[in-house]
Amino acid sequence: MKNPFVTLYEKFQRNAVMKADLGLLNVAAVLKGGGSKPSGQLIYEVETLQAQTLQEWKMAIASATDPEEPDFIALDKLYKGLLLDNHLASIIDSRILYCQRSPFKIVNENGEEAEDVSWLLERTWFEDFVKLCLMSRFKGRTLIELFDLNPDTKELAQVDEVPMPYFNPFKGLITKSPGDSTGWAYKDGAYQPYYIQVGKDKDLGMLAEMAPIILAKKLGLGSWLDYVEKYGVPALFITTDREDDARLNELAEAASNFKSNGFMVGRGQEKFEVGKGEGAGNAQNFDLLIDRANSEMAKRILGGAGLTDEKAFVGSSEIQFRLARDRFESDKLLIKNVINQQLFPRLQKISPIYSTLANHYFEWDDSEVQTSKEVADLISKLGQYFEFDIEEVSLKTGLTITANKNYGTTPSKQDEDEAKKKRLTEK
């Protein structure tokens, strides 16, 4: 007969294991019941790019802030149109790339770096995760999906963004079509470990406030194209003494084909003259409007226009970088909090490969990194006063050092004897 105490212990052990693996059991249940991730079941529509105006901006904001039935379709179209601006996309990349290129580390509860754990985040999906988190600064609340696992390594394979119109942050639902009243709950339930919402429910992002100046720039560019089409090519003037309609129609047709043919054939007293290239108004006004719009965008996102101005001086650029650095550090703090408070707990529920993240935290590595040239210059300045460790110098400079090299003249036999006598006297 089996010992009842052993049976009780085995039952207790099984219960403990089941509680520890509750997150993984939820994952298995979702995969078995749902079949595929919610974002793969959305009904997408063909995207059409249309010119946006201030009227569309007003309607998009009104629809997105409706307290009863918010609709984000118009706002999503507005943002996609705004992000086609190359200058805007470039300065947004400046904010995002600074974080993506900043070194980081994983530390334990004692603040000690765990190098054997950091490699879990050295993946492409983590780069995408950082970008999506920071885009919430500009587009408002963003929903990130952590679902696809690599079947071989059990690591997270990729992260996806649930499009803005397909989730309702106030109800916590992912909807199959925009505006649906039912869907998949992502803030609680079985799908909760797979989704991270960055940004508050009512947050519409920086683009909602920047839209007027960006649209003004687009209007200026469109007006410039109209100006070039009307005044960019000199007009053709035809003078003739013929008054019959047949000849006038022939000259009108010849004038319309003049650009493609490059020549004209006339009769009698007919004259053909190409006007001057200077049109009405000043074309530089368009450039001034565009420059002003670019400057306003840079000030809003980077804190100043010095980093994007081609004619900026070194001193002013350094000051502008200090202003931008405050924004960079704010972005890094956002990423750090999202990772420690949301990403790490979810990863441990999604896959057992991330169990090593328990009791570990994400930190930015702010230690100053010196280049090989800077190290060499420092050794050159301090070498006359101090001695350095050969192995450390070789490691930091990348140069293989085999031995010390003696400089100066070799001491004579007499000098050595005098030095020896001096040592004996001192003793």
Side-chain angles (χ1 to χ4, degrees), residues 38-69:
S39 66
Q41 305 178 52
L42 305 182
I43 300 177
Y44 294 98
E45 299 179 355
V46 177
E47 295 185 4
T48 57
L49 296 178
Q50 299 176 349
Q52 301 292 325
T53 64
L54 288 176
Q55 183 63 30
E56 275 76 18
W57 167 63
K58 295 177 182 179
M59 293 299 298
I61 298 298
S63 299
T65 55
D66 189 332
E68 297 182 358
E69 294 295 334

Side-chain angles (χ1 to χ4, degrees), residues 14-32:
R14 286 197 300 270
N15 290 337
V17 171
M18 289 182 65
K19 290 181 179 179
D21 293 342
L22 182 60
L24 298 179
L25 293 175
N26 285 339
V27 170
V30 169
L31 291 175
K32 183 177 179 180

Side-chain angles (χ1 to χ4, degrees), residues 140-158:
R141 75 284 176 283
T142 301
L143 188 60
I144 305 174
E145 183 180 67
L146 319 167
F147 204 96
D148 296 321
L149 298 180
N150 187 309
D152 299 324
T153 64
K154 306 304 179 184
E155 292 185 55
L156 189 64
Q158 66 180 33

Side-chain angles (χ1 to χ4, degrees), residues 200-215:
K200 299 178 181 179
D201 293 345
K202 295 183 178 181
D203 187 10
L204 299 182
M206 204 180 299
L207 291 178
E209 303 166 356
M210 297 175 58
I213 191 65
I214 302 172
L215 293 176

Side-chain angles (χ1 to χ4, degrees), residues 372 376 390-402:
S372 299
I390 295 179
E391 294 183 359
E392 185 176 359
V393 172
S394 178
L395 179 64
K396 290 190 174 183
T397 60
L399 301 175
T400 303
I401 302 175
T402 57

Side-chain angles (χ1 to χ4, degrees), residues 25-281:
L25 293 175
N26 285 339
V27 170
V30 169
L31 291 175
K32 183 177 179 180
S36 63
K37 57 185 179 181
S39 66
Q41 305 178 52
L42 305 182
I43 300 177
Y44 294 98
E45 299 179 355
V46 177
E47 295 185 4
T48 57
L49 296 178
Q50 299 176 349
Q52 301 292 325
T53 64
L54 288 176
Q55 183 63 30
E56 275 76 18
W57 167 63
K58 295 177 182 179
M59 293 299 298
I61 298 298
S63 299
T65 55
D66 189 332
E68 297 182 358
E69 294 295 334
D71 187 346
F72 302 98
I73 297 178
L75 190 66
D76 184 55
K77 290 182 178 180
L78 174 68
Y79 285 175
K80 287 179 179 178
L82 298 180
L83 290 172
L84 292 177
D85 185 272
N86 290 328
H87 186 80
L88 174 65
S90 175
I91 53 181
I92 288 178
D93 283 343
S94 298
R95 288 275 295 261
I96 295 174
L97 290 173
Y98 187 91
C99 271
Q100 287 182 324
R101 301 278 69 81
S102 296
F104 65 86
K105 58 184 177 181
I106 306 299
V107 299
N108 57 25
E109 292 179 315
N110 298 324
E112 301 170 343
E113 183 176 0
E115 297 182 357
D116 57 334
V117 181
S118 299
W119 63 272
L120 288 171
L121 299 186
E122 296 174 358
R123 299 291 186 270
T124 303
W125 70 261
F126 183 70
E127 296 271 326
D128 297 335
F129 180 82
V130 172
K131 180 178 181 179
L132 291 176
C133 286
L134 293 183
M135 283 303 297
S136 66
R137 297 278 201 192
F138 309 99
K139 296 171 58 179
R141 75 284 176 283
T142 301
L143 188 60
I144 305 174
E145 183 180 67
L146 319 167
F147 204 96
D148 296 321
L149 298 180
N150 187 309
D152 299 324
T153 64
K154 306 304 179 184
E155 292 185 55
L156 189 64
Q158 66 180 33
V159 296
D160 296 300
E161 178 187 7
V162 178
M164 183 187 302
Y166 289 87
F167 74 95
N168 188 325
F170 304 103
K171 297 181 179 180
L173 292 178
I174 301 173
T175 58
K176 199 168 188 179
S177 298
D180 286 353
S181 57
T182 60
W184 301 274
Y186 68 85
K187 290 187 176 181
D188 50 29
Y191 282 106
Q192 186 269 342
Y194 300 95
Y195 293 94
I196 296 177
Q197 178 179 316
V198 184
K200 299 178 181 179
D201 293 345
K202 295 183 178 181
D203 187 10
L204 299 182
M206 204 180 299
L207 291 178
E209 303 166 356
M210 297 175 58
I213 191 65
I214 302 172
L215 293 176
K217 177 185 174 182
K218 290 180 177 292
L219 177 62
L221 283 171
S223 300
W224 197 352
L225 292 175
D226 293 339
Y227 178 92
V228 171
E229 183 178 3
K230 189 173 183 179
Y231 299 107
V233 179
L236 174 65
F237 299 95
I238 303 176
T239 303
T240 179
D241 56 355
R242 297 280 297 272
E243 297 184 0
D244 53 296
D245 293 339
R247 182 53 184 168
L248 292 177
N249 291 333
E250 290 178 354
L251 291 174
E253 183 178 358
S256 63
N257 297 326
F258 172 66
K259 293 181 181 179
S260 58
N261 294 330
F263 65 93
M264 298 283 290
V265 178
R267 303 174 183 173
Q269 300 297 320
E270 294 174 346
K271 293 189 300 183
F272 305 93
E273 296 177 332
V274 178
K276 296 181 179 180
E278 299 178 358

